[in-house]
Amino acid sequence: MDLFSRSWTALRTAVAELPDADFARPSGCTGWLVRDLVCHLVIDAQDVLITLVTPAASEPTRDAVTYWDIVETPTGDDPLDALIVRLAAAYEEPRLLKFHLDDVGSAAGRAAGLADPTARVGTQGQVLTAGDYLSAYVLEWTLHHLDLIAHLPDAAQPPAEGLARSRELLERIGGAAFPASFSDKDALLIGTGRRAPSEAEKAELGEWAARIPLVLG
């Protein structure tokens, strides 16, 4: 729960500190500008709020690892992706998008802090404990923090503990460990296809190289 809060606070702070001009730069999400990614974060925050107030009575069907599915690489045809781009453009001024993320994002953070980690919640037809749900979102926040700063070298990095936890989750999702020589950041970028491995890295990956990227959905 605490790591969720630290990761989410760091991501929202990074957005709040961006100069307006950076909102028109590319993000690490293919086809999305930084403003599109920030708009997606607003929707993510809404999802957190909705899930935490959607109690479930049945036994959990997923945990922090199995919450994630490995899916096909996006083609760019998803209607929601197109909607996000249009919605982000409609904000017109970055300050309005920053305000909305701060408003909804702060509420999501408070809700997470108040949640009982053992309580069962429902989302996408599945049941998880609130603790597992929020743990899964550490990976979401960390990957999107890396996406946010992909072309912004002076922006703050995600928290080290969030990077380490996200690497652990990704390794458990994929069923194998990345080479110890890989930093947590490189493991996440390479493992999810956000960066192509070098030839030397491919050699270190061995059989892992044929199984990545792991596209999470």
Side-chain angles (χ1 to χ4, degrees), residues 1-5 51-52 60 62-65 67-68 111-122 127-139 165 169:
M1 306 283 277
D2 185 50
L3 190 49
F4 170 96
S5 295
T51 299
L52 291 179
R62 301 284 181 102
D63 59 24
V65 174
Y67 171 83
W68 297 103
L114 293 169
D116 174 358
T118 66
R120 298 167 189 171
V121 295
V127 176
L128 302 88
T129 65
D132 273 332
Y133 174 72
L134 295 173
S135 292
Y137 255 83
V138 172
L139 178 55
R165 173 59 174 158
L169 284 171

Side-chain angles (χ1 to χ4, degrees), residues 127-200:
V127 176
L128 302 88
T129 65
D132 273 332
Y133 174 72
L134 295 173
S135 292
Y137 255 83
V138 172
L139 178 55
E140 175 85 356
W141 300 150
T142 302
L143 288 176
H144 281 329
H145 197 141
L146 293 175
D147 291 331
L148 181 78
I149 66 174
H151 303 286
L152 305 173
D154 296 329
Q157 298 286 322
E161 60 270 32
L163 288 166
R165 173 59 174 158
S166 296
R167 176 187 185 148
E168 176 193 345
L169 284 171
L170 189 63
E171 289 177 337
R172 291 173 64 190
I173 292 165
F178 290 99
S181 62
F182 282 30
S183 69
D184 294 335
K185 179 179 177 179
D186 284 335
L188 291 169
L189 292 175
I190 293 170
T192 60
R194 285 166 164 81
R195 176 171 81 73
S198 66
E199 290 303 317

Side-chain angles (χ1 to χ4, degrees), residues 76-128:
D77 297 329
D78 188 299
L80 180 58
D81 290 346
L83 173 63
I84 287 172
V85 172
R86 294 197 299 272
L87 182 58
Y91 278 91
E92 294 186 353
E93 298 181 38
R95 66 179 178 84
L96 300 175
L97 193 48
K98 284 183 179 182
F99 172 80
H100 198 181
L101 177 63
D102 180 64
D103 193 33
V104 180
S106 295
R110 290 192 298 272
L114 293 169
D116 174 358
T118 66
R120 298 167 189 171
V121 295
T123 181
Q124 302 177 50
Q126 302 294 335
V127 176
L128 302 88

Side-chain angles (χ1 to χ4, degrees), residues 14-80:
V15 172
E17 293 176 347
L18 290 179
D20 285 359
D22 286 346
F23 278 70
R25 298 183 187 277
S27 76
C29 294
T30 303
W32 276 5
L33 302 177
V34 166
R35 71 183 186 191
D36 305 325
L37 173 59
V38 174
C39 188
H40 171 75
L41 295 178
V42 173
I43 294 173
D44 268 354
Q46 292 172 342
D47 285 345
V48 170
L49 282 169
I50 291 167
T51 299
L52 291 179
V53 293
T54 305
S58 58
E59 291 295 317
T61 57
R62 301 284 181 102
D63 59 24
V65 174
T66 58
Y67 171 83
W68 297 103
D69 293 317
I70 299 176
V71 299
E72 297 295 325
T73 301
T75 62
D77 297 329
D78 188 299
L80 180 58

